Amino acid sequence: MSPFFAMGGYAAYVWPAYAVFFLVLAADFVSPLLRRRRNLRELRARLARQSARQQRTVSPAVNP
């Protein structure tokens, strides 16, 4: 098993390359999830502002 981890003397180059690959792979997986969460939060806020704006314009006409 030791020769496998030594990678024929190139372990100092191979293992960091694997680490960078898996970090990029994890970032590629997490990024869309975070973006979706942010987009949904912004959409909810926009809909709440729109609803509040509509209630302000409708309320005075309903209660004269």
Side-chain angles (χ1 to χ4, degrees):
M1 199 63 162
S2 180
F4 172 75
F5 289 117
M7 294 282 173
Y10 295 103
Y13 304 105
V14 173
W15 292 114
Y18 278 132
V20 169
F21 167 74
F22 283 112
L23 285 173
V24 170
L25 191 65
D28 248 5
F29 178 77
V30 172
S31 178
L33 299 175
L34 295 175
R35 189 177 322 126
R36 179 179 186 271
R37 180 184 286 174
R38 187 185 67 231
N39 287 343
L40 287 174
R41 186 174 51 239
E42 289 174 2
L43 182 59
R44 283 187 196 109
R46 185 180 303 164
L47 289 172
R49 285 191 306 266
Q50 183 180 6
S51 175
R53 189 179 315 127
Q54 286 176 348
Q55 285 180 351
R56 277 191 314 232
T57 58
V58 171
S59 293
V62 172
N63 295 324

